[in-house]
Amino acid sequence: MEKGTLYLVATPIGNLQDITLRAINTLKEVELIAAEDTRQTIKLLNHFEIKKPLVSYYEHNKVVKGNYLIEQLQQGKDIALVSDAGTPGISDPGEDLVRLCIENEITVTMIPGPVAAVTGMVISGLPTGRFVFEGFLPMNKRTRQERLKQLKDETRTIIFYEAPHKLPYTLKDMYNAWGERRIALARELTKRYEEVIRCNLSEAAERYQVETPKGEFVVVIEGQDQEVLQELERDKYSDISIEEHVERYVKEGLPKKEAVKRAAEDRGLNKRDVYNLVMKK
């Protein structure tokens, strides 16, 4: 028996007109739709007059329902997977179902469409050439602070998702961990009351200490300044001489020329100047 195909179908993140014709046709043609929240998805299906069996598939039932969906696919049924909004498989259990399909040699394909993270970033006004997506930060305070500490020296634009009730604590932790940065907070994307707040991190943290956030947020923050990062790196070696710096690398087993090269890079110096200084000793 020929196996079915899992279709990852991107749905609108707000404005229903953003759905693609291919997404509509796919939802009409599959035999089963797996949804993160069937109550949310039924609104979309009703709007486009799509009548198909629905099954829930979310974080707390993904093991049982994942096995069920694999069984249906192995029996030849085509299944569409949708999230509450946007692209399934990003910050949701869709990634686990994709992995199960691959393990069982079941075809997976994508019906592309909106992604809240990318939408928020491109209208943020922050650099878009290089970016990193972090999704939701951990709920545990200590773990969240540790994650932010790990990202302190990230030079790419950083994108997060955040729930309104957690936003004030997250912004405060970000400012404490990173200091001042430019930030954009996007909410209600593609909807009538779409809003993008562009300011400094300290201003955002102060704002939401007194104002209650509403709606899900895409938080976009500029990365660490490369020049500042290089200056901080150079400051790490201000308490030792260039000769001692080179000798550290030599003791680690590096050849003298490589040790000179590394020390010069660390300090932002010309390699030849460091070599001449060291060789005179």
Side-chain angles (χ1 to χ4, degrees):
M1 178 184 293
E2 186 176 350
K3 297 176 182 178
T5 296
L6 176 69
Y7 294 88
L8 304 177
V9 181
T11 55
I13 58 176
N15 193 317
L16 293 181
Q17 294 184 61
D18 290 335
I19 197 166
T20 67
L21 291 174
R22 188 175 173 216
I24 292 173
N25 289 334
T26 300
L27 293 174
K28 287 181 177 180
E29 292 168 2
V30 295
E31 293 159 276
L32 181 65
I33 298 174
E36 188 176 9
D37 186 339
T38 56
R39 296 167 301 179
Q40 187 70 20
T41 299
I42 196 66
K43 298 175 185 177
L44 177 74
L45 299 182
N46 287 340
H47 182 82
F48 291 103
E49 299 181 347
I50 300 171
K51 299 185 184 300
K52 288 291 176 177
L54 270 176
V55 60
S56 65
Y57 176 78
Y58 56 96
E59 184 64 33
H60 299 296
N61 75 354
K62 65 181 182 182
V63 175
V64 173
K65 288 298 179 68
N67 291 331
Y68 168 76
L69 293 172
I70 292 297
E71 290 175 3
Q72 298 301 303
L73 288 159
Q74 288 175 327
Q75 292 173 17
K77 292 183 179 179
D78 290 334
I79 297 176
L81 175 69
V82 298
S83 63
D84 284 354
T87 298
I90 299 178
S91 291
D92 72 27
E95 63 177 307
D96 297 284
L97 186 56
V98 170
R99 185 167 54 251
L100 279 175
C101 285
I102 293 170
E103 291 172 356
N104 287 275
E105 299 182 342
I106 293 169
T107 301
V108 180
T109 191
M110 181 76 218
I111 312 299
V115 180
V118 175
T119 304
M121 178 186 66
V122 296
I123 62 174
S124 69
L126 296 173
T128 60
R130 298 174 68 243
F131 62 90
V132 57
F133 174 66
E134 282 290 318
F136 290 97
L137 285 165
M139 294 187 68
N140 178 271
K141 183 176 181 179
R142 180 175 295 180
T143 308
R144 182 171 68 249
Q145 291 174 339
E146 183 60 33
R147 177 74 60 80
L148 292 174
K149 182 179 178 182
Q150 293 170 356
L151 290 167
K152 183 177 181 180
D153 294 336
E154 175 59 66
T155 57
R156 295 170 292 183
T157 298
I158 313 171
I159 309 169
F160 300 90
Y161 287 157
E162 193 54 281
H165 66 281
K166 290 170 53 184
L167 185 68
Y169 307 102
T170 296
L171 293 173
K172 184 177 180 180
D173 286 344
M174 285 177 172
Y175 182 70
N176 290 337
W178 300 340
E180 199 66 281
R181 299 274 183 98
R182 288 186 297 162
I183 184 173
L185 301 105
R187 56 181 291 275
E188 297 292 292
L189 287 169
T190 75
K191 298 179 183 179
R192 181 178 180 182
Y193 296 107
E194 176 179 287
E195 180 181 32
V196 183
I197 299 166
R198 303 174 181 91
C199 59
N200 291 328
L201 185 49
S202 62
E203 294 170 333
E206 290 173 4
R207 174 173 181 156
Y208 288 110
Q209 292 301 312
V210 296
E211 181 180 322
T212 301
K214 296 179 180 179
E216 300 293 322
F217 282 79
V218 176
V219 181
V220 187
I221 302 179
E222 71 174 339
Q224 174 67 279
D225 184 274
Q226 188 68 50
E227 293 184 3
V228 171
L229 192 60
Q230 291 173 343
E231 185 64 33
L232 291 171
E233 186 67 21
R234 287 193 288 270
D235 287 345
K236 286 166 56 177
Y237 305 105
S238 61
D239 61 337
I240 62 171
S241 67
I242 296 176
E243 294 85 348
E244 289 172 324
H245 196 156
V246 172
E247 189 59 29
R248 284 188 181 184
Y249 281 126
V250 171
K251 288 180 179 179
E252 291 177 5
L254 291 180
K256 192 69 171 279
K257 285 187 176 180
E258 182 62 25
V260 167
K261 179 182 177 182
R262 293 279 191 91
E265 290 175 350
D266 291 343
R267 291 173 174 265
L269 300 175
N270 183 281
K271 182 176 69 174
R272 184 176 295 277
D273 292 340
V274 175
Y275 181 81
N276 290 335
L277 176 64
V278 172
M279 295 309 292
K280 287 179 181 179
K281 298 295 183 179

